[in-house]
Amino acid sequence: MAKNTICVWYDKDAEEAARFYAQTFPDSAVGAVIRAPGDYPSGKEGDVLVVEFTVAGVACIGLNGGTAFTHNEAFSFQIATDDQEETDRYWNAIVGNGGKESDCGWCKDKWGISWQITPRVLTEAMAIGGAEAKRAFDAMMTMRKIDVAAIEAARRG
């Protein structure tokens, strides 16, 4: 396990989520699956308790902790994309697998985890600042999934 690992809370589907992420994003994998050595408040001996996994190179563990806590947008994974094809692929994988669309390039997977599917053209425009950033920002504010061509057009004015 990495020295610094993100712990993501799930009701009972950490292994399913980890396997979905590993299939969807490059540089992702499922590691150890740790089972409960005894009964606990929301499960029994032998249930999957913790899953070690990597999402796009980031070390994570999924904890099957039950229903005590739920997810919100205060935590999200941000995936930088290089073009519309890559943006569409990740967005469609998340939303098409029981997830939900949100605004400005955000969506949620079926486990309630928020994702920002963010084309680099948008972050580059924002980093430039000034009028170009404002035009790109204003265009983004009208979108759900980011439209790369529309952001490029906004950057040009």
Side-chain angles (χ1 to χ4, degrees):
M1 181 184 294
K3 187 169 187 87
N4 184 12
T5 305
I6 295 170
C7 180
V8 184
W9 186 285
Y10 295 87
D11 177 5
K12 61 182 184 284
D13 299 326
E15 185 175 10
E16 180 187 354
R19 294 196 186 287
F20 171 74
Y21 305 149
Q23 291 174 336
T24 303
F25 300 102
D27 195 20
S28 300
V30 177
V33 176
I34 301 164
R35 298 188 177 276
D39 293 348
Y40 59 105
S42 61
K44 61 185 184 320
E45 181 178 343
D47 287 353
V48 173
L49 188 60
V50 173
V51 179
E52 296 178 8
F53 62 99
T54 305
V55 175
V58 176
C60 302
I61 61 169
L63 172 65
N64 282 332
T67 59
F69 300 106
T70 58
H71 299 286
N72 64 47
E73 290 76 6
F75 172 85
S76 63
F77 285 103
Q78 184 177 41
I79 302 294
T81 59
D82 292 325
D83 54 32
Q84 192 67 56
E85 180 184 350
E86 188 179 22
T87 301
D88 292 348
R89 184 171 60 248
Y90 299 145
W91 181 274
N92 293 340
I94 292 168
V95 172
N97 187 46
K100 295 180 183 175
E101 292 186 355
S102 190
D103 296 324
C104 304
W106 289 61
C107 56
K108 285 188 180 187
D109 66 26
K110 73 179 191 177
W111 301 281
I113 305 295
S114 292
W115 295 81
Q116 297 177 59
I117 309 301
T118 309
R120 293 181 196 281
V121 67
L122 176 59
T123 54
E124 290 165 1
M126 298 301 291
I128 287 171
E132 182 175 337
K134 172 106 171 71
R135 290 190 304 270
F137 179 80
D138 289 345
M140 175 204 66
M141 291 299 293
T142 69
M143 299 175 187
R144 288 194 171 262
K145 177 176 61 176
I146 302 300
D147 179 334
V148 170
I151 296 296
E152 288 171 340
R155 287 183 75 177
R156 291 189 299 272

